[in-house]
Amino acid sequence: MHSQYPLIERYRDFLPVSATTPIISLGEGNTPLIRASNLHHFLGAPSLKLYLKLEGLNPTGSFKDRGMTLAISKAVESGAKAVICASTGNTSASAAAFATKAGLTCYVLLPHGHVALGKLAQAILYGARIIPIKGNFDQALEFVRNLADQCHITIVNSVNPYRLEGQKTAAFEVVEQLEGVPDYLLIPVGNAGNISAYWRGFKLLRKTGGANATPHMFGFEAQGAAAIVRGQPIANPETIATAIRIGNPASWQEAIKAASESDGQIDSVTDDQIIEAYKLLAKLEGIFCEPSSAACLAGLIKHLSMGTIAKDATVVCVLTGNGLKDPDTPLKVSNVDLAPVEADLQKLKTVMGF
Ligand code: AN7
């Protein structure tokens, strides 16, 4: 199917839209599912069938576009003039793009100093009203809930029910692309919306006869922001993976249900494990994702070594965002010498080892 076909049209029968709902689309969804060619060998699991869902190839570079096309379409349908969100970055970029396409004003509250540069750049250029706050994501979301109420602005964080309804379409695509259901689906967890949405999608497919099984859902928080794993909110979450620097996930209970009903787990991975996985994806597979996205590969490595995930399983890792969002991190985590060389052929050959 043509990639610019609106997601809402493709899955209309499974979404809360009518024939008169206006469709605001940027060509979202229908992202590649790529089979790993080197990682499984490197991990000592040559029989592992490892697939990577490249959600960073959505129009604004993250999975958020799947939910945003629906949230903004429904906002337009209801007559809204403005939308608002709190964001660690990707939601703001997506909301800003779809809102401007629809002619709506978009307000975004960002945790000052903790949003990757590419995401901020997007929100600026799409014309969002950007309000950095001296606080973290969880505090920003609390303000957004109040502002939405008091100022009659439509909230487009994942507490907006249409967001997760749109995001569940990723589960449909995985099953279509694999022509079957994976044994495991591994996914990063921040506000815990996406894991909840995938689980809805897989359950719906099983119920409607589109699949005869469901995967075990494994979600991974960053250790410094692992509220669900610890069983209590974290007042000052910290992680290099700024997208999932969230201490009080909004979809906490639904995520726990996804893990328990699917016989899966919510677990955590350290920043070092995240960065190792981030580098491996780039160096072995040619895939540049965000640090947060790499949390699911970090989790796979952990659970392969624990034996919780079998070495011959079919596994899908959801790479939620594009590495270009965060151009600073590669420089911080690599030791490359970028000192310029004289413009001289012999010097170049020497540097290259010829
Ligand atoms: C790349 O943009 O919360 O567990 O405000 O950007 O559904 O929150 C982003 C989250 C994973 C976690 N990967 O998903 C935001 C925001 C990336 C992300 C997550 C996010 P949820």
Side-chain angles (χ1 to χ4, degrees):
M1 182 145 329
H2 196 275
S3 67
Q4 308 225 320
Y5 201 68
L7 188 77
I8 292 175
E9 292 289 11
R10 269 178 86 196
Y11 297 113
R12 171 176 283 284
D13 294 348
F14 296 97
L15 296 173
V17 289
S18 75
T20 57
T21 307
I23 293 180
I24 310 300
S25 171
L26 288 167
E28 59 291 327
N30 202 13
T31 57
L33 184 73
I34 299 292
R35 177 119 185 219
S37 5
N38 301 311
L39 259 173
H40 53 306
H41 294 292
F42 179 84
L43 300 177
S47 305
L48 188 75
K49 292 169 276 296
L50 174 58
Y51 293 86
L52 307 163
K53 181 75 169 151
L54 304 189
E55 288 290 276
L57 296 186
N58 273 295
T60 77
S62 85
F63 72 97
K64 303 285 181 182
D65 295 341
R66 293 179 184 277
M68 208 54 77
T69 181
L70 191 60
I72 298 292
S73 296
K74 295 299 283 189
V76 172
E77 184 176 38
S78 73
K81 295 282 173 273
V83 297
I84 186 167
C85 65
S87 180
T88 58
N90 279 325
T91 297
S92 68
S94 186
F98 283 87
T100 205
K101 175 93 171 167
L104 305 181
T105 303
C106 178
Y107 299 92
V108 304
L109 265 65
L110 304 177
H112 177 65
H114 296 276
V115 172
L117 185 62
K119 304 173 188 181
L120 190 59
Q122 289 178 287
I124 292 171
L125 209 67
Y126 293 138
R129 301 278 300 271
I130 301 169
I131 308 161
I133 76 156
K134 295 176 183 169
N136 62 32
F137 169 84
D138 304 287
Q139 293 166 309
L141 182 56
E142 196 49 42
F143 284 118
V144 162
R145 289 180 195 260
N146 285 314
L147 289 164
D149 259 9
Q150 291 170 25
C151 309
H152 308 289
I153 311 172
T154 302
I155 188 168
V156 293
N157 280 103
S158 56
V159 296
N160 176 319
Y162 301 119
R163 282 277 313 280
L164 298 196
E165 285 301 298
Q167 283 173 216
K168 77 183 181 203
T169 59
F172 304 161
E173 286 181 19
V174 165
V175 173
E176 285 168 31
Q177 291 170 313
L178 268 183
E179 297 181 351
V181 178
D183 300 319
Y184 297 88
L185 187 113
L186 278 61
I187 188 166
V189 170
N191 221 12
N194 212 22
I195 188 172
S196 305
Y198 270 83
W199 184 235
R200 281 189 202 180
F202 286 123
K203 278 199 297 189
L204 186 60
L205 266 189
R206 186 180 54 187
K207 194 170 141 203
T208 55
N212 54 12
T214 52
H216 302 294
M217 304 291 294
F218 276 61
F220 296 96
E221 299 183 292
Q223 194 175 76
I228 300 177
V229 172
R230 289 200 215 166
Q232 57 184 45
I234 294 172
N236 296 303
E238 271 313 337
T239 168
I240 192 168
T242 53
I244 54 173
R245 185 176 172 272
I246 294 175
N248 191 11
S251 298
W252 186 316
Q253 292 311 324
E254 195 170 340
I256 286 189
K257 255 181 68 181
S260 65
E261 287 178 359
S262 71
D263 195 14
Q265 273 190 45
I266 310 286
D267 196 3
S268 63
V269 286
T270 66
D271 278 9
D272 285 349
Q273 290 169 324
I274 289 172
I275 293 304
E276 186 199 344
Y278 173 68
K279 290 178 171 173
L280 285 174
L281 279 161
K283 290 187 179 166
L284 296 180
E285 299 295 339
I287 292 173
F288 187 24
C289 68
E290 290 190 37
S292 308
S293 305
C296 60
L297 177 64
L300 175 63
I301 295 171
K302 179 173 175 181
H303 282 265
L304 281 174
S305 78
M306 286 165 56
T308 351
I309 292 181
K311 287 189 166 182
D312 60 354
T314 300
V315 174
V316 170
C317 283
V318 181
L319 301 183
T320 45
N322 197 306
L324 295 169
K325 294 266 191 180
D326 191 347
D328 297 320
T329 300
L331 304 177
K332 283 186 201 145
V333 302
S334 309
N335 293 315
V336 284
D337 181 4
L338 295 178
V341 177
E342 291 304 322
D344 174 275
L345 188 61
Q346 198 48 51
K347 290 229 167 76
L348 289 171
K349 281 176 149 177
T350 308
V351 167
M352 290 168 69
F354 287 96

